[in-house]
Amino acid sequence: MTSPTLPPASALALFSLAAQHPVSLGWCSESERLANLADEHAFDLQLATDLELAGERAQRMSSAQPPEAFLNQWLSARPDLEAMLSIRFEGGNPEKPFVDVSATTRPVLAADLPVLLALAQQTYGVFNPQRLRFWSSAEAGAFAGTQPDMRVLAAPVNQLRDRSTPLELSLRPTLDTSQLEAAREAYADVDRLHPAHPAQARILSEEDLQETVDAGTMFDVLRNGEWVGYAGARAETLCGLPAYVVQELLLIPSARGKGFGAFLTPMLAQQLPEQDRVLMGTIHAENKGSLQAALRAGRHDIGGRSWLPLPSVLT
């Protein structure tokens, strides 16, 4: 049922802080993290109240549903649990609607999932959503019956930079997008070898590459002076943390299979100017190679999102 009171962003921030992984709690001050989380949740509140924005979403999705149907909803799920649900569309595709659990008053437990599924169907059933997505700091696979999504791998920059790296590898600032086609071919090579890869990772766009180049935080990976990939990140906030969010960590086929992947993270950390930030990025839970490289580099799995099919329960 709809809760009578929509909490302010500051309250949503407190709820979200309680859902973060304990290892990350000392990576910035609590006051800074709460302020960042409040900023992140401000958009959730706008999506819950702004009918003009809801109308724009309805028009963009070419939907016959009224704008009100697109509003986020703050709902009472259980006596001790309230949740904000929102209708989303994978990749902006109107044919792929899903319900996102944007915030909860406490961390989600396995026992909560049937109730959240029922609320998702009751609230957004007109869109025929096929899946529910939720966040947890629990390890991947902790919730039976769920499907994996992206995990967040992170560590403070100043804890990563002192790791030793091979002498044959180096970084230099990327000046343009001239190697983007070679990077695309490298992704295509992995796609051919691993059919599940296209659904797990995509190369950054030319626009994102250029923005990271302009920010001075995109680097060419060199092996004995020859270009073999990209390593770059951009200053943002994620999970309430002041972060450098990874835009690309890539090696072309000739540089793979040699254990170099784990060295890209410390090499990048050595080049980033703001050492008090956290280097973090998302990796699909089934992308085992990238996950292992991130963990070997010293990053921690601090949580991620999982999918739960609605039809499996609501039939």
Side-chain angles (χ1 to χ4, degrees):
M1 60 179 291
T2 302
S3 178
T5 305
L6 188 65
S10 58
L12 294 178
L14 283 168
F15 302 149
S16 289
L17 183 62
Q20 301 306 312
H21 196 289
V23 75
S24 71
L25 296 181
W27 289 349
C28 76
S29 70
E30 183 174 300
S31 59
E32 181 181 7
R33 194 162 190 184
L34 285 172
N36 288 337
L37 285 169
D39 287 343
E40 292 177 29
H41 282 301
F43 188 57
D44 288 320
L45 292 174
Q46 184 182 4
L47 287 173
T49 57
D50 191 333
L51 276 173
E52 182 177 351
L53 178 58
E56 292 173 1
R57 295 183 70 204
Q59 185 175 25
R60 188 164 59 249
M61 292 297 110
S62 301
S63 174
Q65 300 302 322
E68 291 82 357
F70 285 81
L71 291 174
N72 284 10
Q73 298 290 331
W74 182 250
L75 304 167
S76 178
R78 306 181 74 184
D80 66 337
L81 179 67
E82 292 181 293
M84 181 170 286
L85 302 187
S86 58
I87 186 67
R88 303 287 179 88
F89 302 87
E90 293 181 56
N93 185 343
E95 301 300 318
K96 294 184 176 182
F98 69 94
V99 177
D100 192 45
V101 183
S102 305
T104 54
T105 50
R106 61 161 172 74
V108 173
L109 305 175
D112 302 325
L113 295 181
V115 180
L116 291 171
L117 283 168
L119 282 177
Q121 185 70 5
Q122 293 165 13
T123 308
Y124 296 111
V126 293
F127 293 99
N128 193 29
Q130 299 303 302
R131 301 197 288 178
L132 177 85
R133 188 179 72 172
F134 66 96
W135 161 272
S136 175
S137 64
E139 64 183 16
F143 294 87
T146 62
Q147 299 167 344
D149 194 35
M150 308 302 287
R151 307 294 298 179
V152 179
L153 281 290
V157 171
N158 58 22
Q159 292 181 15
L160 296 168
R161 60 177 290 117
D162 294 332
R163 292 174 174 254
S164 59
T165 57
L167 292 177
E168 63 194 286
L169 294 182
S170 61
L171 298 185
R172 71 181 178 199
T174 302
L175 300 179
D176 53 44
T177 62
S178 59
Q179 296 289 359
L180 183 56
E181 188 55 39
R184 288 172 175 156
E185 291 174 3
Y187 263 77
D189 182 74
V190 177
D191 292 346
R192 285 190 292 270
L193 294 173
H194 305 283
H197 186 257
Q200 298 172 358
R202 287 177 289 181
I203 190 167
L204 80 171
S205 67
E206 184 170 4
E207 179 183 5
D208 286 338
L209 174 59
Q210 187 61 59
E211 286 183 5
T212 313
V213 169
D214 293 342
T217 50
M218 180 61 74
F219 301 91
D220 295 331
V221 182
L222 307 179
R223 183 185 182 196
N224 297 323
E226 297 294 326
W227 187 91
V228 293
Y230 282 132
R234 205 157 61 205
E236 301 176 22
T237 62
L238 185 62
C239 298
L241 292 164
Y244 279 116
V245 177
V246 172
Q247 300 299 301
E248 196 62 73
L249 292 174
L250 166 75
L251 291 170
I252 62 174
S254 64
R256 294 196 196 118
K258 307 175 189 303
F260 290 157
F263 297 114
L264 298 186
T265 290
M267 292 172 64
L268 178 59
Q270 291 163 14
Q271 298 294 327
L272 295 172
E274 298 179 57
Q275 292 293 297
D276 57 344
R277 287 184 175 268
V278 176
L279 182 64
M280 58 200 311
T282 56
I283 301 173
H284 196 278
E286 293 184 336
N287 189 341
K288 302 302 183 183
S290 294
L291 278 174
Q292 289 303 313
L295 292 170
R296 290 199 307 272
R299 291 158 67 185
H300 304 272
D301 184 334
I302 63 170
R305 300 192 185 279
S306 298
W307 297 101
L308 192 59
L310 272 75
S312 65
V313 174
L314 302 173
T315 55

